[in-house]
């Protein structure tokens, strides 16, 4: 952390006020049915702490036995979303997140190039753009394309100030969709959909924005990959409590088709984020000790707290390289080892009134 002791003390006071009544107030009531298919045959998939920031609380992911959709239940409410996102992508977490994004240039290039066999983008809207790192890289591959970013946070304005995007839209995508209709022939959502309260509403918003023949590119974690099965709650892509939904690839394909979007291509290995074992080891070690200076800890750090943290860092010296070695040697041999996937879908041309999708006569709705 680069904050001063005085700043950390002020943040600690603010966080402790938020936590005075515990963390239960950050959760909605548990729902009895699957938000994807409506089935009531649910089972607990795993419980997890906040491995990223180590804020207090325990979070449950449930799995639908019928459609296999995985979702946070009970889910964070509006206050919980504000609390657990605070200082994650901005504030205390801004510099580390920026550094992480700066290392993903090759992945960004792969996302942008996925469209090359199918279309030449004229105007591209990146939803959940953050600080615009993807658009900044994609501009080098598509120099004639204009790029816009949309995000709830202030980072989208910073992205425009840097010149990494041409236009900035701040707010909720479903709320803004009607003002963006047919302005963009490509919409992308990279590791965005799993964060949303209502992913179907986000897909519907994309379908409204895109013109006929436009493309939607989605990249999300794959909850059915080998790392998720082997590492359990220590798999890096569960990202609790920020990830509210996790999508088996078949479910996402069905949702796209139901909203008039046909599947053009699917990529698994090229979407792989890597480092499952390394990050799993890091999460395991974080259960021993976290940075005691974090302002949401219950008291100012003591000598004992610092000693525990130092001991955890010493344990990390052999554990993290071992995890990295497993990622390099063992992980590529596992079936379905990619921890993410991409889907490119196209919006079907509008059908003439009175015809079905195959061109046969269709009676009007009465």
């Amino acid at each position: 952390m680069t904050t001063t002791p005085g700043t950390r003390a002020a943040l600690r006071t603010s966080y402790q006020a938020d936590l005075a009544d515990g963390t239960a107030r950050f959760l909605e009531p548990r729902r009895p049915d699957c938000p994807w298919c409506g089935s009531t045959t649910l089972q607990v998939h795993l419980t997890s702490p906040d491995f990223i920031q180590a804020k207090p609380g325990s979070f449950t992911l449930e799995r639908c036995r019928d459609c296999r959709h995985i979702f946070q239940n009970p889910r964070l409410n509006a206050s919980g979303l504000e609390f657990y996102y605070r200082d994650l992508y901005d504030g205390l977490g801004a510099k580390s997140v920026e550094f992480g994004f700066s290392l993903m240039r090759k992945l960004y290039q792969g996302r942008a190039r996925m469209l090359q066999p199918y279309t030449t983008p004229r105007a591209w809207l990146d939803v959940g753009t953050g600080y615009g790192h993807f658009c900044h890289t994609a501009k080098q591959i598509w120099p004639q394309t204009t790029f816009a970013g949309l995000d709830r946070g202030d980072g989208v304005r910073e992205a425009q100030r840097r010149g990494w995007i041409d236009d900035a839209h701040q707010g909720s995508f479903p709320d803004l969709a009607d003002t963006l209709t047919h302005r963009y022939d490509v919409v992308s959502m990279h590791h965005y959909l799993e964060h949303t309260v209502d992913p179907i509403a986000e897909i519907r918003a994309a379908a409204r924005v895109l013109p006929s023949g436009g493309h939607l590119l989605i990249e999300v974690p794959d909850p059915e990959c080998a790392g998720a099965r082997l590492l359990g709650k220590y798999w890096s892509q569960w990202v609790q409590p920020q990830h509210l939904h996790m999508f088996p690839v078949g479910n996402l394909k069905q949702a796209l088709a139901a909203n008039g979007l046909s599947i053009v291509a699917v990529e698994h290995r090229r979407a792989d984020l890597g480092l499952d074992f390394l990050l799993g080891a890091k999460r395991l070690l974080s259960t021993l000790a976290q940075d005691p200076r974090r302002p949401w800890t219950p008291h100012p750090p003591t000598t004992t707290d610092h000693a525990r943290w130092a001991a955890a860092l010493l344990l990390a010296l052999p554990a993290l390289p071992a995890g990295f070695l497993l990622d390099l040697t063992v992980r590529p041999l596992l079936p379905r080892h990619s921890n993410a996937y991409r889907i490119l879908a196209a919006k079907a041309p509008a059908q003439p009134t009175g015809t079905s999708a195959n061109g046969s006569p269709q009676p009007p709705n009465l």
Side-chain angles (χ1 to χ4, degrees), residues 49-85:
D50 176 358
F51 282 117
I52 306 299
Q53 292 181 290
K55 288 182 176 178
S58 180
F59 310 96
T60 300
L61 289 173
E62 296 198 11
R63 187 178 192 128
C64 175
R65 293 183 179 179
D66 288 334
C67 74
R68 306 193 324 275
H69 183 69
I70 297 173
F71 63 104
Q72 189 183 86
N73 197 23
R75 188 179 70 186
L76 292 179
N77 57 27
S79 296
L81 289 167
E82 188 283 325
F83 179 82
Y84 287 103
Y85 272 95

Side-chain angles (χ1 to χ4, degrees), residues 11-33:
L11 287 172
R12 186 179 300 280
T13 299
S14 175
Y15 270 107
Q16 295 314 307
D18 288 333
L19 291 167
D21 295 324
T23 59
R25 70 182 187 88
F26 295 134
L27 298 171
E28 296 177 350
R30 178 189 175 275
R31 65 179 296 161
D33 60 334

